[in-house]
């Protein structure tokens, strides 16, 4: 998820483009850049570098750009380490065209090979750069609008782009397919942006581009067409959000926005990893040789916090799909204990940030013992990804809320797909069985959407329980880690003591805690251990414990046990953590809001724990 801003008008473009980027930093901030058509020179000039927008601002103070036409970009890398060469904007071979892009071009590798054969010189590792060279290819004896139209006709994947050319100083062009892009309509000036906050100081009259639409902007005019060139009439809408609200997409907190982003992220992730209906799972950056994966005897998963809980779910997934023993440990223990691992061990290090000190140390220890390390990470180019033998990026976009939500379900999805990939490599599961699982997995985003449609009721149920002084979360089998994760979500943003437990362990201690002052969240989805969960609930009721149950839609028995139930759609037990996570995230969120806590920046916590 990156941030795009474009400007055409009478004013100094640099100031408007830079201020716009500052408002979009929540969309990505590992590198940024700006390009303007220099005043009176009719040539394009670029300033771009890794780091936050502040670094670009400092660079522009030393080396400012003139001109009143320009584009700018703040990046959340998906292809190519965050560095100067990979930062946007990108230029064609002749330096006449500049492009910024948000999205993923799935067929960039073959396009890049073809363009190189045609003589184009590439300067970056990004997928974006193929766009500007395609425009260059079609720009000969043509106009920018036509060249952009032809270029995007070659692209597969998701994109929002902005393009300018020194040959047409009166044009700013945008196009949208799969990533957001809006037009800001001003007086004698017009704007492009990924999101409204970037341009709200200049105009609140917005045209929201739909899929397959191109915007051709001059100072005086906005013309919208579809990808075939057919004119589309659109009337600007006036937005009255304040900036902070707009950065959260109208949600009151980033955490709630990110909870609601999960189905879309999962859908996009599956589409980039499963190229065809029954095609193989594709991991571009997973560089551990298949021969080596065939010979591993054991897997160790190392992580912290929410990532650790994802690893625990991963144990159930990989052991059931691949038949390989999996140990899971928190990084701070793994890094100091005697490690019985060697080159036949695969260590999977899971980290949203890729900068967690304990997990980095664990990965280092693992490699020192001869094991190969596979990183599952959300931040491209982060330290962990550079210190691992293979990487699976979760592509969840920047997670701003300190409490991890979308990164967690993206980590789970990476583990599911890795397990199917590994089962295919090792032949432990027939391809038709794998395809059947993948088919079901493709249906999960829709099921998550169904849960989110019920979030108002989940919010009300949460508020009814926000006065409880402590919570116990109980789960079994693959949802035992879901119970741990649900407890962590609640405690870290509401500060209510909450602990997750294997439900079968209740009688070995926690049952002493049960009384009318404690709320007990029971994960009782359809499963081979469902009846055991019913027994647990009977024991809790007998002691006046207050139960909130997560159960499977259509379960008619559960209401005999408990009034407060959140239903999730029926799916295989294997995939149920991807559904159970959402009501548990919403429960924590609404209770924390009810208690007046700072949901996005809880006390004492950091988004990335880069110290021991
Ligand atoms: C999760 O909600 C917490 N913010 C925290 O436990 C986090 O999961 C942990 O610090 C690990 O971070 P990482 O995934 O960036 O390594």
């Amino acid at each position: 998820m990156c941030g795009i801003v474009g400007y055409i008008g009478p004013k100094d473009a640099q100031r408007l483009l830079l201020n716009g980027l500052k408002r979009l930093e929540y969309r990505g901030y590992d590198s940024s850049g700006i390009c303007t058509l220099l005043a009176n020179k009719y040539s394009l000039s670029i300033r771009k570098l890794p780091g936050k927008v502040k670094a670009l601002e400092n660079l522009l103070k030393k080396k400012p750009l003139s001109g009143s036409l320009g584009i700018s970009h703040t990046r959340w890398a998906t292809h190519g380490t965050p560095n100067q060469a990979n930062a946007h904007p990108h230029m064609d071979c002749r330096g006449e065209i500049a492009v910024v892009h948000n999205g993923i071009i799935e067929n960039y590798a073959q396009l890049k090979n073809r363009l190189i054969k045609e003589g184009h010189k590439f300067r970056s590792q990004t997928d974006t750069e193929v766009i500007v060279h395609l425009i260059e290819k079609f720009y000969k004896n043509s106009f920018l609008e036509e060249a952009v139209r032809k270029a995007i006709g070659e692209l597969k994947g998701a994109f929002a782009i902005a393009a300018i050319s020194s040959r047409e100083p009166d044009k700013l062009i945008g196009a949208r397919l799969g990533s957001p892009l809006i037009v800001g309509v001003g007086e004698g000036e017009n704007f492009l942006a990924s999101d409204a906050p970037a341009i709200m100081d200049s105009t609140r009259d917005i045209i929201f581009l739909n899929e397959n639409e191109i915007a051709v902007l001059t100072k005086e005019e906005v013309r919208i067409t579809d990808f075939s060139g057919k004119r589309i009439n659109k009337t600007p809408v006036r937005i009255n959000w304040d900036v902070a609200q707009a950065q959260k997409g109208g949600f009151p907190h980033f955490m709630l926005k990110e909870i609601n982003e999960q189905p879309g992220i999962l859908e996009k992730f599956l589409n980039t990893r499963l190229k065809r209906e029954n095609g193989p799972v594709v991991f571009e950056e997973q560089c551990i040789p298949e021969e080596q994966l065939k010979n591993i005897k054991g897997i160790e998963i190392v992580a912290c916090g929410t990532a650790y809980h994802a690893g625990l779910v991963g144990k159930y997934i990989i052991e059931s799909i691949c038949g390989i023993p999996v140990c899971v440990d928190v990084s701070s223990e793994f890094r100091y204990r005697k490690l019985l691992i060697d080159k036949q061990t695969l260590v999977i290090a899971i980290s949203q940030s890729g900068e967690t000190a304990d997990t980095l140390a664990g990965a280092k220890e693992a490699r020192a013992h001869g094991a190969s390390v596979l990183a599952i990470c959300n931040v491209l180019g982060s330290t962990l990804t550079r210190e691992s033998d293979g990487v699976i990026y979760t592509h969840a976009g920047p997670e701003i809320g300190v409490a991890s939500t979308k990164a967690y379900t993206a980590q789970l999805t990476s583990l599911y797909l890795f397990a199917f990939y590994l089962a295919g490599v090792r032949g432990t599961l027939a391809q038709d069985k794998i395809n059947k699982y993948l088919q079901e997995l493709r249906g999960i985003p829709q099921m998550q959407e169904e849960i989110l449609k019920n979030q108002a009721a989940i919010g009300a149920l949460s508020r009814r329980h926000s006065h409880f002084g402590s919570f116990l979360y109980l789960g079994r089998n693959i949802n035992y880690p879901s119970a741990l994760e649900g407890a962590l979500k609640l405690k870290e943003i509401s500060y209510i003591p909450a602990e997750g437990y294997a439900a079968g362990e209740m009688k070995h201690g926690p049952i002493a805690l049960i009384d009318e002052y404690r709320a007990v969240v029971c994960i009782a989805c359809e499963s081979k251990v469902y009846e055991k969960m019913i027994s647990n609930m009977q024991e809790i009721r007998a002691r006046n414990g207050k139960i909130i149950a997560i159960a499977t839609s259509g379960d008619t028995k559960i209401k005999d046990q408990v009034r407060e139930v959140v239903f999730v759609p029926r799916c295989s037990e294997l995939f149920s953590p991807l559904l159970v996570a959402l009501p548990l995230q919403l429960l924590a969120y609404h209770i924390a809001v009810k208690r007046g806590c700072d949901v996005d920046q809880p006390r004492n916590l950091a988004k990335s724990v880069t110290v021991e």
Side-chain angles (χ1 to χ4, degrees):
M1 183 159 90
C2 306
I4 288 174
V5 189
Y7 176 73
I8 186 164
K11 297 174 187 148
D12 166 37
Q14 173 181 297
R15 179 180 58 80
L16 293 163
L17 294 171
L18 190 60
N19 289 342
L21 289 189
K22 288 180 185 171
R23 292 285 174 74
L24 295 182
E25 271 208 294
Y26 70 90
R27 298 180 61 84
Y29 38 73
D30 59 48
S31 52
S32 63
I34 182 172
C35 175
T36 64
L37 179 66
L38 297 178
N40 315 318
K41 288 205 180 118
Y42 293 120
S43 67
L44 297 177
S45 187
I46 283 189
R47 303 280 185 272
K48 61 180 187 175
L49 75 172
K52 298 202 171 192
V53 173
K54 187 69 186 155
L56 179 64
E57 185 174 28
N58 294 337
L59 175 60
L60 288 166
K61 280 187 183 130
K62 291 188 211 117
K63 300 168 78 181
L65 291 174
S66 63
S68 57
L69 168 66
I71 53 179
S72 63
H73 185 270
T74 181
R75 185 170 182 242
W76 181 265
T78 56
H79 293 77
T81 309
N83 58 26
Q84 206 270 351
N86 291 332
H88 301 205
H90 290 284
M91 279 182 147
D92 66 317
C93 303
R94 302 149 59 98
E96 286 183 343
I97 311 161
V99 163
V100 290
H101 163 235
N102 173 26
I104 292 182
I105 306 302
E106 293 170 13
N107 61 335
Y108 86 96
Q110 54 263 48
L111 289 172
K112 183 168 181 174
N113 290 336
R114 199 174 81 201
L115 288 160
I116 289 171
K117 285 199 187 94
E118 293 169 3
H120 291 264
K121 298 279 178 284
F122 281 75
R123 307 180 184 93
S124 80
Q125 307 158 288
T126 65
D127 55 340
T128 301
E129 203 182 348
V130 299
I131 301 173
V132 72
H133 288 289
L134 277 173
I135 295 172
E136 177 186 16
K137 169 181 174 163
F138 295 118
Y139 200 17
K140 291 185 177 74
N141 314 315
S142 178
F143 291 100
L144 187 59
E145 178 184 348
E146 208 39 48
V148 167
R149 198 186 311 287
K150 287 184 180 158
I152 58 181
E154 306 272 318
L155 304 178
K156 285 193 180 61
F159 54 85
I161 65 169
I164 56 175
S165 163
S166 54
R167 284 167 43 189
E168 295 179 55
D170 61 343
K171 284 276 183 349
L172 168 62
I173 296 193
R176 170 198 168 145
L177 177 64
S179 295
L181 193 65
I182 64 174
V183 174
V185 182
E187 298 287 323
E189 60 183 11
N190 289 304
F191 301 78
L192 285 174
S194 303
D195 207 351
I199 54 177
M200 284 166 68
D201 291 342
S202 301
T203 176
R204 286 172 173 268
D205 293 326
I206 306 292
I207 295 173
F208 292 89
L209 290 185
N210 293 325
E211 301 296 16
N212 299 301
E213 290 186 349
I214 290 178
V216 181
L217 279 58
T218 65
K219 289 178 187 173
E220 300 304 331
E221 188 203 18
V222 174
R223 187 162 43 83
I224 313 282
T225 74
D226 64 15
F227 281 3
S228 70
K230 185 165 158 291
R231 184 80 187 251
I232 301 170
N233 290 319
K234 299 185 92 142
T235 310
V237 293
R238 172 147 302 212
I239 54 168
N240 51 19
W241 297 333
D242 64 41
V243 171
Q245 225 185 348
Q247 287 174 322
K248 295 163 194 155
F251 288 100
H253 299 99
F254 278 110
M255 182 178 174
L256 188 59
K257 179 184 174 203
E258 288 156 5
I259 289 171
N260 281 274
E261 284 178 342
Q262 291 176 104
I265 288 164
L266 181 52
E267 182 108 39
K268 221 176 254 184
F269 186 86
L270 292 173
N271 290 339
T272 52
R273 301 282 181 214
L274 303 174
K275 300 289 182 197
R276 296 188 313 280
E277 198 56 32
N278 284 334
V281 179
V282 174
F283 289 122
E284 304 90 3
E285 315 88 356
Q286 192 310 91
C287 311
I288 299 174
E290 292 192 356
E291 264 325 292
Q292 193 176 330
L293 293 175
K294 279 183 186 153
N295 299 323
I296 54 171
K297 293 279 179 289
I299 292 177
E300 293 262 352
I301 299 179
V302 58
C304 301
T306 288
Y308 167 68
H309 298 148
L312 287 173
V313 176
K315 171 184 172 67
Y316 289 90
I317 298 169
I318 295 169
E319 287 184 344
S320 68
I321 299 283
C322 305
I324 300 178
V326 179
C327 293
V328 191
D329 207 346
V330 289
S331 309
S332 52
E333 291 300 315
F334 180 87
R335 65 181 290 190
Y336 291 115
R337 66 176 164 81
K338 177 168 178 44
L339 296 176
L340 304 176
I341 63 176
D342 59 22
K343 64 181 185 337
Q344 287 191 299
T345 310
L346 173 67
V347 171
I348 301 177
I350 306 174
S351 175
Q352 187 285 132
S353 62
E355 301 300 342
T356 299
D358 285 324
T359 304
L360 293 178
K364 203 167 280 182
E365 271 307 305
R367 297 184 93 187
H369 282 71
S372 295
V373 175
L374 173 66
I376 293 182
C377 186
N378 194 39
V379 181
L380 198 138
S382 56
T383 305
L384 178 66
T385 63
R386 285 182 278 111
E387 294 179 358
S388 299
D389 302 284
V391 183
I392 294 177
Y393 284 110
T394 51
H395 290 320
E399 187 174 64
I400 307 298
V402 165
S404 188
T405 51
K406 63 177 184 174
Y408 172 66
T409 48
Q411 288 161 357
L412 294 184
T413 309
S414 303
L415 287 160
Y416 284 112
L417 289 188
F418 178 69
F420 295 129
Y421 166 79
L422 191 60
V425 165
R426 295 168 62 95
T428 49
L429 205 57
Q431 192 56 46
D432 59 334
K433 276 283 271 173
I434 293 174
N435 292 341
K436 198 161 166 294
Y437 273 124
L438 291 174
Q439 203 51 42
E440 181 173 2
L441 185 53
R442 281 181 179 281
I444 295 293
Q446 185 50 43
M447 294 181 187
Q448 290 182 330
E449 287 291 7
E450 277 173 49
I451 295 168
L452 294 172
K453 281 191 193 121
N454 187 33
Q455 60 185 298
I458 296 172
L461 179 152
S462 307
R463 287 185 287 275
R464 288 198 293 273
H465 295 79
S466 58
H467 61 285
F468 281 95
S470 66
F471 279 69
L472 183 62
Y473 286 70
L474 300 176
R476 287 177 178 262
N477 201 16
I478 199 167
N479 281 310
Y480 159 44
S482 302
L484 299 177
E485 173 57 13
L488 173 62
K489 280 293 90 53
L490 182 72
K491 74 178 84 164
E492 69 175 330
I493 62 173
S494 72
Y495 320 138
I496 299 173
E499 58 184 314
Y501 242 91
E505 275 295 289
M506 197 176 78
K507 54 190 171 301
H508 300 287
I511 196 164
L513 295 170
I514 305 297
D515 59 25
E516 64 272 31
Y517 306 108
R518 175 181 303 276
V520 186
V521 178
C522 293
I523 304 168
C525 297
E526 204 170 79
S527 95
K528 62 188 176 196
V529 287
Y530 173 77
E531 290 304 332
K532 303 294 176 199
M533 283 309 297
I534 293 290
S535 311
N536 286 129
M537 286 190 264
Q538 287 162 345
E539 292 158 12
I540 294 163
R541 286 175 60 216
R543 293 160 180 82
N544 293 324
K546 297 289 173 256
I547 301 173
I548 300 168
I550 312 288
T552 303
S553 303
D555 178 346
T556 51
K557 275 180 72 177
I558 197 81
K559 286 284 192 180
D560 302 341
Q561 302 302 326
V562 56
R563 271 182 321 105
E564 301 282 22
V565 186
V566 177
F567 288 103
V568 297
R570 169 174 287 110
C571 71
S572 303
E573 182 174 10
L574 177 72
F575 295 124
S576 57
L578 281 170
L579 301 184
V580 163
L582 275 67
L584 298 183
Q585 291 164 357
L586 289 166
L587 180 69
Y589 169 80
H590 287 292
I591 288 176
V593 168
K594 176 77 175 156
R595 291 171 77 114
C597 299
D598 182 349
V599 169
D600 283 334
Q601 271 103 25
R603 68 185 184 194
N604 310 337
L605 289 176
K607 186 59 189 170
S608 173
V609 182
T610 55
V611 294
E612 253 204 273

